[in-house]
Amino acid sequence: MEAKQRRVLRRLRLELAEQLRVEQPVQYLYQERVVSQSFLEELEAEPVGARRTLKLLDYLPGRGPRAFAAFAESLRDEFPWLCRRLEEEERAEEEPEPPAGTLLTSSSAAFLEISTRLASLQRPRGMDWIIAQGWI
């Protein structure tokens, strides 16, 4: 499992624990060989549903590169809103965040234009130049 997928599972941990019942998804994960028979038995022995979910979430990151996609797919029928949430969060992790202290790309051109105009105003200019710029 990739680091971004681990971050998604960590970020959605409480939401998943509250809303997910793992009985159905874990059978799909067993079928796809993401979880082992011994883990399946261990999970079924856990008495509380939320603890089962948390145990599964702790287990998944170590189950290889297919684990996240298989987990999302296991939710598609019974918990489609959680599947969408996982996919949205994974896509959001892929979008690079601008470095701290930089402007967003969409506003960079406007900022540059305004900065240039302000800098040019600091130099003394004649009325002809101001009219040529279209400011009057």
Side-chain angles (χ1 to χ4, degrees):
M1 185 175 295
E2 296 177 27
K4 67 180 180 177
Q5 295 166 334
R6 284 191 210 96
R7 288 190 300 269
V8 168
L9 289 181
R10 191 176 317 116
R11 192 168 38 252
L12 297 179
R13 186 176 177 84
L14 293 178
E15 184 177 339
L16 290 167
E18 289 174 0
Q19 298 180 33
L20 179 62
R21 289 184 22 242
V22 297
E23 291 77 16
Q24 185 74 22
V26 81
Q27 292 301 323
Y28 178 82
L29 293 172
Y30 176 70
Q31 171 190 307
E32 295 300 312
R33 299 178 187 262
V34 173
V35 300
S36 65
Q37 176 69 33
S38 62
F39 179 76
L40 186 62
E41 291 168 0
E42 189 179 320
L43 200 61
E44 289 172 349
E46 191 67 52
V48 180
R51 285 190 187 160
R52 287 180 181 175
T53 303
L54 293 173
K55 189 173 214 140
L56 178 63
L57 293 175
D58 290 340
Y59 183 75
L60 283 174
R63 298 307 297 167
R66 293 182 22 250
F68 186 86
F71 178 59
E73 186 60 33
S74 76
L75 303 177
R76 194 166 304 283
D77 291 336
E78 297 289 323
F79 304 94
W81 68 95
L82 292 176
C83 179
R84 279 192 304 276
R85 224 24 205 116
L86 283 172
E87 291 168 347
E88 289 168 2
E89 290 292 323
E90 183 181 26
R91 276 192 300 277
E93 278 287 325
E94 290 174 357
E95 296 173 6
E97 291 186 24
T102 61
L103 297 174
L104 296 176
T105 307
S106 61
S107 63
S108 293
F111 178 77
L112 182 59
E113 181 182 342
I114 290 169
S115 295
T116 305
R117 286 188 176 210
L118 286 174
S120 69
L121 288 175
Q122 292 176 348
R123 296 186 297 263
R125 302 285 183 187
M127 187 57 100
D128 293 337
W129 183 84
I130 293 173
I131 292 170
Q133 294 299 309
W135 292 347
I136 294 182

